[in-house]
């Protein structure tokens, strides 16, 4: 029988439902159970590919090329798994499938309705995901009471009936505010959100109460009384120094035992020692370095969340806290001298699309190159590093990417021949895993310690191979190539303590305790220069 752990959210969004779900996953994984994780996004977009990072945060890329919600990134990092794109289910996908089926006449003249047709489609996808796993997490995005959530709540309500209590657990995550004037927690909004959930026929089996500080017994008792959830199934996820501590907090309160019992899984001792030491290393750094983070979407930090996490993973492995100095490429474009005032130990030029702010990003590359600051360019950042090199080292005036200047006299970044002529925003994106061959005798080879790797991609434009001989003469080395087709994957500079750019996105494969080589390399280079390595 499939076993589902269904997680809903109440009171308000952004209180860490994704992290809670991921933490529950880690707790089960620590017991050796196989766990799948699904994120349901009730919005009508089919995927997150076209969504604005300002509004929604990073687009996470799966190994099979899905452009999906960033919560899947939490799951991958906490569970240490690689999830397929189909694990992000949106209303858009569900409705599209149902309507397409209707158009093909497959409903044989029936009236097509939310119940049962839409709910059946949802249930089918959830059951498919759960097939073959000891347990499957289903996080329902949004907050209970949202109109768009209704078909999903209805579907999981039906699944409880069909699979039985022993195979379904409902966990509701809700915030309780602490009122400073009266010095007490207020549980009313949470009570209301549970009442709302009951209106749809769902009584939560457990609550994860999110709060600023640990809640007291009396508060827990009150919550229990009003929500009909036994005190033993009320967990408290209070604010902690790092989200990576949440699995430890929940485990300490008996979450693992609760779930094992509830789902009839064997009672096993959790192996959380490695996780614990990672958290200790992360929260007790011996060194601090300042990392410039230059990009276009720096106002919303979630836009680059996987990169931020990747830096933390690498930092923890080196007992170093990376202090991030966000640099808006727009601002640098207006006032390049801004950079002079900063004392940076490392510079990351971030992924991106479109022209705005790119001259500022190029200036950040130049600044790092000339001042010998350890540099990592990711995707767009790598492409702009090539542009900078072409302009300022090779002296090719007006060199650019054709994405930014279609008429540039020196298209050092362009659409590769097989990409040209295809629809601009459609199908031409290279997405997901590609194998990369790493050239011997390079920095990349030293970092990876291997001649091959597989990394995830999300880009359209490529380094123009025609310019490579000239670049090589001037010290820009290609140290990684795609294995299936001749495309540049990694570049580096000879005359620099650490200067590397990747066409791929190394951040998506970084995990606690398993930092990705380029991030690890960047931070160790910064430490070395400070004489602290
Ligand atoms: N805009 C660039 C491209 O399409 C880089 C994309 C990225 O940074 N993800 O190739």
């Amino acid at each position: 029988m499939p076993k589902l752990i269904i997680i809903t959210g109440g009171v308000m969004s952004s209180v860490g439902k994704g992290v809670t779900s991921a933490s529950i996953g880690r707790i089960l994984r620590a017991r050796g159970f196989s766990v799948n994780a699904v994120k349901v996004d009730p919005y009508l977009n089919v995927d997150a590919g076209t969504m604005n990072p300002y509004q929604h945060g990073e687009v996470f890329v799966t190994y099979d090329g899905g452009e999906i919600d960033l919560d899947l990134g939490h799951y991958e990092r906490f569970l240490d798994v690689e999830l397929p794109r189909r694990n992000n289910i949106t209303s858009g996908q569900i409705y599209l499938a149902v309507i397409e089926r209707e158009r093909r006449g497959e409903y044989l003249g029936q009236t097509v309705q939310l119940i049962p047709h839409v709910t059946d489609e949802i249930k089918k996808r959830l059951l498919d995901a759960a097939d073959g796993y000891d347990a499957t997490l289903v996080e329902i995005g949004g907050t209970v009471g949202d109109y768009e959530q209704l078909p999903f709540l209805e579907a999981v309500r039906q699944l409880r009936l069909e699979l039985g209590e022993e195979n379904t657990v409902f966990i509701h995550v809700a915030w309780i505010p602490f009122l400073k004037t009266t010095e007490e927690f207020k549980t009313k909004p949470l009570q209301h959100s549970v009442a709302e959930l009951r209106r749809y026929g769902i009584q939560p089996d457990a609550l994860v109460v999110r709060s600023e500080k640990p809640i007291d017994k009396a508060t827990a008792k009150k919550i229990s009384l009003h929500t009909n959830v036994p005190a033993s199934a009320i967990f408290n996820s209070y604010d902690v120094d790092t989200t990576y501590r949440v699995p430890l907090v929940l485990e300490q309160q008996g979450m693992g035992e609760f779930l094992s019992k509830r789902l009839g899984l064997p009672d096993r001792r959790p192996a959380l020692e490695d996780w614990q030491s990672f958290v200790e290393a992360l929260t007790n750094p011996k060194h601090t370095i300042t990392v410039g983070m230059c990009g276009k979407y720096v106002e919303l930090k979630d836009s680059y969340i996987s990169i931020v996490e990747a830096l933390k993973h690498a930092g923890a492995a080196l007992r170093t806290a990376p202090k991030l100095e966000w640099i808006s490429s727009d601002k640098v474009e207006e006032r390049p001298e801004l950079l002079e005032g900063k004392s940076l130990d490392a510079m990351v030029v971030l992924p991106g699309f479109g022209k705005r702010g790119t001259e500022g990003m190029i200036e950040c590359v130049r600044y790092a190159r000339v001042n010998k600051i350890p540099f990592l360019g990711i995707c767009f950042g790598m492409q702009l590093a090539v542009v900078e090199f072409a302009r300022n080292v090779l002296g090719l005036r007006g060199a650019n990417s054709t994405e930014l200047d279609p008429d540039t006299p020196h298209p050092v970044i362009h659409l590769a021949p097989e990409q040209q002529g295809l629809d601009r925003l459609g199908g031409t994106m290279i997405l997901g895993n590609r194998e990369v061959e790493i050239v011997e005798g390079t920095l990349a080879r030293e970092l990876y310690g291997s001649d091959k790797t597989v990394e995830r991609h999300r880009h359209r434009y490529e380094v123009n191979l025609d310019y490579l001989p000239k670049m090589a003469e001037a010290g820009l080395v290609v140290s990684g190539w795609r294995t299936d087709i001749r495309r540049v994957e990694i570049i580096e500079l000879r005359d620099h303590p650490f200067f590397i750019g990747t066409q791929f996105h190394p951040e998506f494969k970084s995990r606690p305790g398993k930092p990705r080589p380029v991030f690890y390399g960047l931070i160790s280079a910064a430490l070395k220069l400070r004489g602290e390595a």
Side-chain angles (χ1 to χ4, degrees), residues 350-354 378-383 401 403-404 413-415 429-430 457-462 502-503 505 507:
L350 297 158
F353 291 83
I378 302 177
C379 202
F380 206 33
M382 172 269 210
Q383 297 176 354
S401 162
E403 177 185 4
L404 312 171
I413 304 292
H414 69 163
L415 287 178
M429 190 96 90
I430 316 275
H457 296 69
R458 182 175 187 243
H459 68 108
R460 280 193 192 86
Y461 293 82
E462 305 274 355
T502 64
Q503 182 60 78
H505 290 263
E507 66 274 21

PDB file of all heavy atoms in Angstrom, residues 350-354 378-383 401 403-404 413-415 429-430 457-462 502-503 505 507, ligand 1:
ATOM      1  N   LEU A 350      26.272  35.912 -10.855  1.00  0.00           N
ATOM      2  CA  LEU A 350      25.130  34.989 -10.773  1.00  0.00           C
ATOM      3  C   LEU A 350      24.449  34.747 -12.116  1.00  0.00           C
ATOM      4  O   LEU A 350      24.624  35.516 -13.057  1.00  0.00           O
ATOM      5  CB  LEU A 350      24.130  35.574  -9.767  1.00  0.00           C
ATOM      6  CG  LEU A 350      24.688  35.676  -8.338  1.00  0.00           C
ATOM      7  CD1 LEU A 350      23.929  36.700  -7.508  1.00  0.00           C
ATOM      8  CD2 LEU A 350      24.640  34.304  -7.675  1.00  0.00           C
ATOM      9  N   PRO A 351      23.641  33.702 -12.194  1.00  0.00           N
ATOM     10  CA  PRO A 351      22.889  33.422 -13.420  1.00  0.00           C
ATOM     11  C   PRO A 351      21.881  34.528 -13.711  1.00  0.00           C
ATOM     12  O   PRO A 351      21.542  35.313 -12.825  1.00  0.00           O
ATOM     13  CB  PRO A 351      22.145  32.123 -13.103  1.00  0.00           C
ATOM     14  CG  PRO A 351      22.837  31.529 -11.947  1.00  0.00           C
ATOM     15  CD  PRO A 351      23.414  32.661 -11.169  1.00  0.00           C
ATOM     16  N   GLY A 352      21.415  34.573 -14.944  1.00  0.00           N
ATOM     17  CA  GLY A 352      20.414  35.582 -15.281  1.00  0.00           C
ATOM     18  C   GLY A 352      20.047  35.550 -16.745  1.00  0.00           C
ATOM     19  O   GLY A 352      20.625  34.804 -17.543  1.00  0.00           O
ATOM     20  N   PHE A 353      19.089  36.366 -17.070  1.00  0.00           N
ATOM     21  CA  PHE A 353      18.599  36.473 -18.446  1.00  0.00           C
ATOM     22  C   PHE A 353      18.375  37.945 -18.749  1.00  0.00           C
ATOM     23  O   PHE A 353      17.977  38.707 -17.881  1.00  0.00           O
ATOM     24  CB  PHE A 353      17.263  35.724 -18.597  1.00  0.00           C
ATOM     25  CG  PHE A 353      17.408  34.229 -18.494  1.00  0.00           C
ATOM     26  CD1 PHE A 353      17.457  33.605 -17.260  1.00  0.00           C
ATOM     27  CD2 PHE A 353      17.531  33.458 -19.640  1.00  0.00           C
ATOM     28  CE1 PHE A 353      17.611  32.231 -17.169  1.00  0.00           C
ATOM     29  CE2 PHE A 353      17.677  32.078 -19.543  1.00  0.00           C
ATOM     30  CZ  PHE A 353      17.723  31.468 -18.316  1.00  0.00           C
ATOM     31  N   GLY A 354      18.601  38.318 -19.980  1.00  0.00           N
ATOM     32  CA  GLY A 354      18.234  39.662 -20.417  1.00  0.00           C
ATOM     33  C   GLY A 354      19.287  40.716 -20.128  1.00  0.00           C
ATOM     34  O   GLY A 354      20.201  40.522 -19.334  1.00  0.00           O
ATOM     35  N   ILE A 378      28.604  31.755 -12.727  1.00  0.00           N
ATOM     36  CA  ILE A 378      27.693  30.638 -12.952  1.00  0.00           C
ATOM     37  C   ILE A 378      26.763  30.954 -14.109  1.00  0.00           C
ATOM     38  O   ILE A 378      26.026  31.936 -14.074  1.00  0.00           O
ATOM     39  CB  ILE A 378      26.871  30.326 -11.679  1.00  0.00           C
ATOM     40  CG1 ILE A 378      27.805  30.001 -10.520  1.00  0.00           C
ATOM     41  CG2 ILE A 378      25.904  29.178 -11.939  1.00  0.00           C
ATOM     42  CD1 ILE A 378      27.108  29.755  -9.204  1.00  0.00           C
ATOM     43  N   CYS A 379      26.823  30.142 -15.131  1.00  0.00           N
ATOM     44  CA  CYS A 379      25.972  30.250 -16.310  1.00  0.00           C
ATOM     45  C   CYS A 379      26.107  31.636 -16.963  1.00  0.00           C
ATOM     46  O   CYS A 379      27.092  31.886 -17.622  1.00  0.00           O
ATOM     47  CB  CYS A 379      24.533  29.877 -15.945  1.00  0.00           C
ATOM     48  SG  CYS A 379      23.614  29.366 -17.408  1.00  0.00           S
ATOM     49  N   PHE A 380      25.147  32.523 -16.733  1.00  0.00           N
ATOM     50  CA  PHE A 380      25.262  33.880 -17.273  1.00  0.00           C
ATOM     51  C   PHE A 380      26.573  34.518 -16.792  1.00  0.00           C
ATOM     52  O   PHE A 380      27.245  35.216 -17.540  1.00  0.00           O
ATOM     53  CB  PHE A 380      24.083  34.699 -16.748  1.00  0.00           C
ATOM     54  CG  PHE A 380      23.679  35.865 -17.613  1.00  0.00           C
ATOM     55  CD1 PHE A 380      23.785  35.830 -18.983  1.00  0.00           C
ATOM     56  CD2 PHE A 380      23.138  37.013 -17.022  1.00  0.00           C
ATOM     57  CE1 PHE A 380      23.378  36.900 -19.766  1.00  0.00           C
ATOM     58  CE2 PHE A 380      22.723  38.086 -17.792  1.00  0.00           C
ATOM     59  CZ  PHE A 380      22.847  38.027 -19.164  1.00  0.00           C
ATOM     60  N   GLY A 381      26.917  34.246 -15.546  1.00  0.00           N
ATOM     61  CA  GLY A 381      28.147  34.795 -14.968  1.00  0.00           C
ATOM     62  C   GLY A 381      29.370  34.316 -15.731  1.00  0.00           C
ATOM     63  O   GLY A 381      30.338  35.063 -15.931  1.00  0.00           O
ATOM     64  N   MET A 382      29.348  33.085 -16.185  1.00  0.00           N
ATOM     65  CA  MET A 382      30.448  32.541 -16.975  1.00  0.00           C
ATOM     66  C   MET A 382      30.460  33.195 -18.356  1.00  0.00           C
ATOM     67  O   MET A 382      31.501  33.599 -18.874  1.00  0.00           O
ATOM     68  CB  MET A 382      30.286  31.024 -17.086  1.00  0.00           C
ATOM     69  CG  MET A 382      31.233  30.347 -18.036  1.00  0.00           C
ATOM     70  SD  MET A 382      30.556  30.220 -19.712  1.00  0.00           S
ATOM     71  CE  MET A 382      31.367  28.722 -20.239  1.00  0.00           C
ATOM     72  N   GLN A 383      29.279  33.341 -18.927  1.00  0.00           N
ATOM     73  CA  GLN A 383      29.200  33.945 -20.266  1.00  0.00           C
ATOM     74  C   GLN A 383      29.723  35.380 -20.226  1.00  0.00           C
ATOM     75  O   GLN A 383      30.448  35.819 -21.124  1.00  0.00           O
ATOM     76  CB  GLN A 383      27.760  33.918 -20.769  1.00  0.00           C
ATOM     77  CG  GLN A 383      27.204  32.502 -20.957  1.00  0.00           C
ATOM     78  CD  GLN A 383      25.737  32.481 -21.356  1.00  0.00           C
ATOM     79  OE1 GLN A 383      25.062  33.511 -21.390  1.00  0.00           O
ATOM     80  NE2 GLN A 383      25.220  31.294 -21.659  1.00  0.00           N
ATOM     81  N   SER A 401      27.351  39.059 -25.867  1.00  0.00           N
ATOM     82  CA  SER A 401      26.523  37.890 -26.154  1.00  0.00           C
ATOM     83  C   SER A 401      25.424  38.374 -27.089  1.00  0.00           C
ATOM     84  O   SER A 401      24.892  39.475 -26.905  1.00  0.00           O
ATOM     85  CB  SER A 401      25.919  37.368 -24.858  1.00  0.00           C
ATOM     86  OG  SER A 401      24.813  36.528 -25.155  1.00  0.00           O
ATOM     87  N   GLU A 403      22.555  37.514 -27.078  1.00  0.00           N
ATOM     88  CA  GLU A 403      21.335  37.688 -26.281  1.00  0.00           C
ATOM     89  C   GLU A 403      21.177  39.153 -25.895  1.00  0.00           C
ATOM     90  O   GLU A 403      20.064  39.664 -25.789  1.00  0.00           O
ATOM     91  CB  GLU A 403      21.425  36.823 -25.002  1.00  0.00           C
ATOM     92  CG  GLU A 403      20.236  36.996 -24.061  1.00  0.00           C
ATOM     93  CD  GLU A 403      20.380  36.236 -22.731  1.00  0.00           C
ATOM     94  OE1 GLU A 403      21.438  35.625 -22.475  1.00  0.00           O
ATOM     95  OE2 GLU A 403      19.415  36.280 -21.942  1.00  0.00           O
ATOM     96  N   LEU A 404      22.311  39.833 -25.697  1.00  0.00           N
ATOM     97  CA  LEU A 404      22.283  41.197 -25.169  1.00  0.00           C
ATOM     98  C   LEU A 404      22.461  42.242 -26.258  1.00  0.00           C
ATOM     99  O   LEU A 404      21.979  43.358 -26.152  1.00  0.00           O
ATOM    100  CB  LEU A 404      23.385  41.352 -24.116  1.00  0.00           C
ATOM    101  CG  LEU A 404      23.411  40.202 -23.094  1.00  0.00           C
ATOM    102  CD1 LEU A 404      24.641  40.285 -22.221  1.00  0.00           C
ATOM    103  CD2 LEU A 404      22.137  40.211 -22.262  1.00  0.00           C
ATOM    104  N   ILE A 413      29.584  35.110 -27.266  1.00  0.00           N
ATOM    105  CA  ILE A 413      28.555  34.182 -26.782  1.00  0.00           C
ATOM    106  C   ILE A 413      27.411  34.276 -27.783  1.00  0.00           C
ATOM    107  O   ILE A 413      26.971  35.389 -28.110  1.00  0.00           O
ATOM    108  CB  ILE A 413      28.038  34.595 -25.376  1.00  0.00           C
ATOM    109  CG1 ILE A 413      29.175  34.709 -24.358  1.00  0.00           C
ATOM    110  CG2 ILE A 413      26.951  33.626 -24.897  1.00  0.00           C
ATOM    111  CD1 ILE A 413      29.852  33.407 -23.976  1.00  0.00           C
ATOM    112  N   HIS A 414      26.966  33.156 -28.261  1.00  0.00           N
ATOM    113  CA  HIS A 414      25.920  33.182 -29.296  1.00  0.00           C
ATOM    114  C   HIS A 414      25.048  31.931 -29.212  1.00  0.00           C
ATOM    115  O   HIS A 414      25.290  31.058 -28.379  1.00  0.00           O
ATOM    116  CB  HIS A 414      26.577  33.301 -30.689  1.00  0.00           C
ATOM    117  CG  HIS A 414      27.332  32.057 -31.082  1.00  0.00           C
ATOM    118  ND1 HIS A 414      27.702  31.792 -32.371  1.00  0.00           N
ATOM    119  CD2 HIS A 414      27.776  30.991 -30.358  1.00  0.00           C
ATOM    120  CE1 HIS A 414      28.340  30.626 -32.426  1.00  0.00           C
ATOM    121  NE2 HIS A 414      28.394  30.131 -31.214  1.00  0.00           N
ATOM    122  N   LEU A 415      24.058  31.885 -30.070  1.00  0.00           N
ATOM    123  CA  LEU A 415      23.295  30.642 -30.163  1.00  0.00           C
ATOM    124  C   LEU A 415      24.107  29.699 -31.034  1.00  0.00           C
ATOM    125  O   LEU A 415      24.532  30.075 -32.125  1.00  0.00           O
ATOM    126  CB  LEU A 415      21.934  30.899 -30.818  1.00  0.00           C
ATOM    127  CG  LEU A 415      20.900  31.626 -29.966  1.00  0.00           C
ATOM    128  CD1 LEU A 415      19.625  31.846 -30.777  1.00  0.00           C
ATOM    129  CD2 LEU A 415      20.576  30.862 -28.688  1.00  0.00           C
ATOM    130  N   MET A 429      15.841  25.922 -24.914  1.00  0.00           N
ATOM    131  CA  MET A 429      16.653  25.919 -23.702  1.00  0.00           C
ATOM    132  C   MET A 429      17.277  24.534 -23.460  1.00  0.00           C
ATOM    133  O   MET A 429      16.622  23.519 -23.612  1.00  0.00           O
ATOM    134  CB  MET A 429      15.746  26.289 -22.539  1.00  0.00           C
ATOM    135  CG  MET A 429      16.461  26.553 -21.272  1.00  0.00           C
ATOM    136  SD  MET A 429      16.751  28.286 -21.028  1.00  0.00           S
ATOM    137  CE  MET A 429      15.270  28.717 -20.150  1.00  0.00           C
ATOM    138  N   ILE A 430      18.552  24.556 -23.091  1.00  0.00           N
ATOM    139  CA  ILE A 430      19.211  23.308 -22.693  1.00  0.00           C
ATOM    140  C   ILE A 430      18.866  23.127 -21.215  1.00  0.00           C
ATOM    141  O   ILE A 430      19.218  23.960 -20.386  1.00  0.00           O
ATOM    142  CB  ILE A 430      20.744  23.434 -22.812  1.00  0.00           C
ATOM    143  CG1 ILE A 430      21.162  24.115 -24.094  1.00  0.00           C
ATOM    144  CG2 ILE A 430      21.426  22.090 -22.552  1.00  0.00           C
ATOM    145  CD1 ILE A 430      21.290  23.311 -25.281  1.00  0.00           C
ATOM    146  N   HIS A 457      21.740  21.961 -16.222  1.00  0.00           N
ATOM    147  CA  HIS A 457      21.838  23.118 -17.119  1.00  0.00           C
ATOM    148  C   HIS A 457      20.525  23.853 -17.256  1.00  0.00           C
ATOM    149  O   HIS A 457      19.452  23.265 -17.134  1.00  0.00           O
ATOM    150  CB  HIS A 457      22.266  22.654 -18.514  1.00  0.00           C
ATOM    151  CG  HIS A 457      23.635  22.048 -18.551  1.00  0.00           C
ATOM    152  ND1 HIS A 457      23.924  20.843 -17.962  1.00  0.00           N
ATOM    153  CD2 HIS A 457      24.792  22.501 -19.102  1.00  0.00           C
ATOM    154  CE1 HIS A 457      25.206  20.564 -18.133  1.00  0.00           C
ATOM    155  NE2 HIS A 457      25.755  21.555 -18.827  1.00  0.00           N
ATOM    156  N   ARG A 458      20.636  25.130 -17.559  1.00  0.00           N
ATOM    157  CA  ARG A 458      19.454  25.927 -17.928  1.00  0.00           C
ATOM    158  C   ARG A 458      19.926  27.152 -18.695  1.00  0.00           C
ATOM    159  O   ARG A 458      20.153  28.218 -18.129  1.00  0.00           O
ATOM    160  CB  ARG A 458      18.694  26.357 -16.675  1.00  0.00           C
ATOM    161  CG  ARG A 458      17.419  27.146 -16.983  1.00  0.00           C
ATOM    162  CD  ARG A 458      16.634  27.435 -15.714  1.00  0.00           C
ATOM    163  NE  ARG A 458      15.352  28.030 -16.016  1.00  0.00           N
ATOM    164  CZ  ARG A 458      14.989  29.255 -15.632  1.00  0.00           C
ATOM    165  NH1 ARG A 458      15.799  30.017 -14.933  1.00  0.00           N
ATOM    166  NH2 ARG A 458      13.795  29.714 -15.951  1.00  0.00           N
ATOM    167  N   HIS A 459      20.127  26.983 -19.967  1.00  0.00           N
ATOM    168  CA  HIS A 459      20.624  28.108 -20.759  1.00  0.00           C
ATOM    169  C   HIS A 459      20.340  27.897 -22.241  1.00  0.00           C
ATOM    170  O   HIS A 459      20.003  26.790 -22.669  1.00  0.00           O
ATOM    171  CB  HIS A 459      22.132  28.279 -20.553  1.00  0.00           C
ATOM    172  CG  HIS A 459      22.936  27.147 -21.144  1.00  0.00           C
ATOM    173  ND1 HIS A 459      23.695  27.289 -22.276  1.00  0.00           N
ATOM    174  CD2 HIS A 459      23.056  25.852 -20.784  1.00  0.00           C
ATOM    175  CE1 HIS A 459      24.257  26.130 -22.575  1.00  0.00           C
ATOM    176  NE2 HIS A 459      23.881  25.242 -21.689  1.00  0.00           N
ATOM    177  N   ARG A 460      20.471  28.976 -22.985  1.00  0.00           N
ATOM    178  CA  ARG A 460      20.299  28.890 -24.438  1.00  0.00           C
ATOM    179  C   ARG A 460      21.592  29.199 -25.182  1.00  0.00           C
ATOM    180  O   ARG A 460      21.881  28.630 -26.212  1.00  0.00           O
ATOM    181  CB  ARG A 460      19.291  29.944 -24.909  1.00  0.00           C
ATOM    182  CG  ARG A 460      17.882  29.579 -24.718  1.00  0.00           C
ATOM    183  CD  ARG A 460      16.960  30.512 -25.482  1.00  0.00           C
ATOM    184  NE  ARG A 460      15.620  30.250 -25.006  1.00  0.00           N
ATOM    185  CZ  ARG A 460      15.096  30.822 -23.935  1.00  0.00           C
ATOM    186  NH1 ARG A 460      15.783  31.736 -23.279  1.00  0.00           N
ATOM    187  NH2 ARG A 460      13.896  30.503 -23.527  1.00  0.00           N
ATOM    188  N   TYR A 461      22.348  30.135 -24.633  1.00  0.00           N
ATOM    189  CA  TYR A 461      23.501  30.651 -25.369  1.00  0.00           C
ATOM    190  C   TYR A 461      24.762  29.872 -25.002  1.00  0.00           C
ATOM    191  O   TYR A 461      24.826  29.224 -23.959  1.00  0.00           O
ATOM    192  CB  TYR A 461      23.646  32.152 -25.093  1.00  0.00           C
ATOM    193  CG  TYR A 461      22.483  32.927 -25.684  1.00  0.00           C
ATOM    194  CD1 TYR A 461      21.271  33.022 -25.006  1.00  0.00           C
ATOM    195  CD2 TYR A 461      22.586  33.489 -26.952  1.00  0.00           C
ATOM    196  CE1 TYR A 461      20.191  33.678 -25.571  1.00  0.00           C
ATOM    197  CE2 TYR A 461      21.508  34.148 -27.524  1.00  0.00           C
ATOM    198  CZ  TYR A 461      20.310  34.239 -26.834  1.00  0.00           C
ATOM    199  OH  TYR A 461      19.249  34.881 -27.401  1.00  0.00           O
ATOM    200  N   GLU A 462      25.764  29.974 -25.898  1.00  0.00           N
ATOM    201  CA  GLU A 462      26.972  29.152 -25.752  1.00  0.00           C
ATOM    202  C   GLU A 462      28.206  29.988 -26.085  1.00  0.00           C
ATOM    203  O   GLU A 462      28.117  30.976 -26.813  1.00  0.00           O
ATOM    204  CB  GLU A 462      26.941  28.004 -26.785  1.00  0.00           C
ATOM    205  CG  GLU A 462      25.715  27.136 -26.748  1.00  0.00           C
ATOM    206  CD  GLU A 462      25.819  26.013 -25.739  1.00  0.00           C
ATOM    207  OE1 GLU A 462      26.899  25.851 -25.130  1.00  0.00           O
ATOM    208  OE2 GLU A 462      24.813  25.299 -25.562  1.00  0.00           O
ATOM    209  N   THR A 502      31.314  28.365 -15.006  1.00  0.00           N
ATOM    210  CA  THR A 502      30.670  27.132 -15.468  1.00  0.00           C
ATOM    211  C   THR A 502      29.408  27.461 -16.242  1.00  0.00           C
ATOM    212  O   THR A 502      28.598  28.283 -15.812  1.00  0.00           O
ATOM    213  CB  THR A 502      30.282  26.225 -14.274  1.00  0.00           C
ATOM    214  OG1 THR A 502      29.313  26.890 -13.472  1.00  0.00           O
ATOM    215  CG2 THR A 502      31.488  25.867 -13.436  1.00  0.00           C
ATOM    216  N   GLN A 503      29.263  26.828 -17.391  1.00  0.00           N
ATOM    217  CA  GLN A 503      28.026  27.003 -18.162  1.00  0.00           C
ATOM    218  C   GLN A 503      26.865  26.315 -17.436  1.00  0.00           C
ATOM    219  O   GLN A 503      25.727  26.714 -17.532  1.00  0.00           O
ATOM    220  CB  GLN A 503      28.222  26.430 -19.573  1.00  0.00           C
ATOM    221  CG  GLN A 503      27.040  26.591 -20.485  1.00  0.00           C
ATOM    222  CD  GLN A 503      26.682  28.053 -20.699  1.00  0.00           C
ATOM    223  OE1 GLN A 503      27.318  28.754 -21.465  1.00  0.00           O
ATOM    224  NE2 GLN A 503      25.678  28.534 -19.990  1.00  0.00           N
ATOM    225  N   HIS A 505      24.943  24.694 -13.856  1.00  0.00           N
ATOM    226  CA  HIS A 505      24.569  25.210 -12.530  1.00  0.00           C
ATOM    227  C   HIS A 505      24.995  24.209 -11.459  1.00  0.00           C
ATOM    228  O   HIS A 505      24.222  23.299 -11.125  1.00  0.00           O
ATOM    229  CB  HIS A 505      23.054  25.395 -12.452  1.00  0.00           C
ATOM    230  CG  HIS A 505      22.540  26.520 -13.282  1.00  0.00           C
ATOM    231  ND1 HIS A 505      22.280  27.761 -12.757  1.00  0.00           N
ATOM    232  CD2 HIS A 505      22.255  26.599 -14.597  1.00  0.00           C
ATOM    233  CE1 HIS A 505      21.839  28.563 -13.716  1.00  0.00           C
ATOM    234  NE2 HIS A 505      21.812  27.879 -14.851  1.00  0.00           N
ATOM    235  N   GLU A 507      25.124  24.498  -8.410  1.00  0.00           N
ATOM    236  CA  GLU A 507      24.421  24.656  -7.121  1.00  0.00           C
ATOM    237  C   GLU A 507      23.344  23.603  -6.888  1.00  0.00           C
ATOM    238  O   GLU A 507      23.038  23.258  -5.750  1.00  0.00           O
ATOM    239  CB  GLU A 507      23.807  26.062  -7.008  1.00  0.00           C
ATOM    240  CG  GLU A 507      22.681  26.416  -7.983  1.00  0.00           C
ATOM    241  CD  GLU A 507      23.161  26.956  -9.332  1.00  0.00           C
ATOM    242  OE1 GLU A 507      24.330  26.707  -9.702  1.00  0.00           O
ATOM    243  OE2 GLU A 507      22.357  27.624 -10.022  1.00  0.00           O
TER     244      GLU A 507
HETATM  245  N1  LIG B   1      20.813  33.975 -20.378  1.00  0.00           N
HETATM  246  C1  LIG B   1      21.831  33.000 -20.540  1.00  0.00           C
HETATM  247  C2  LIG B   1      21.429  31.917 -21.525  1.00  0.00           C
HETATM  248  O1  LIG B   1      20.288  31.768 -21.840  1.00  0.00           O
HETATM  249  C3  LIG B   1      22.231  32.394 -19.201  1.00  0.00           C
HETATM  250  C4  LIG B   1      21.151  31.636 -18.510  1.00  0.00           C
HETATM  251  C5  LIG B   1      21.416  31.382 -17.048  1.00  0.00           C
HETATM  252  O2  LIG B   1      22.209  32.057 -16.404  1.00  0.00           O
HETATM  253  N2  LIG B   1      20.712  30.443 -16.459  1.00  0.00           N
HETATM  254  O3  LIG B   1      22.245  31.194 -22.020  1.00  0.00           O
END
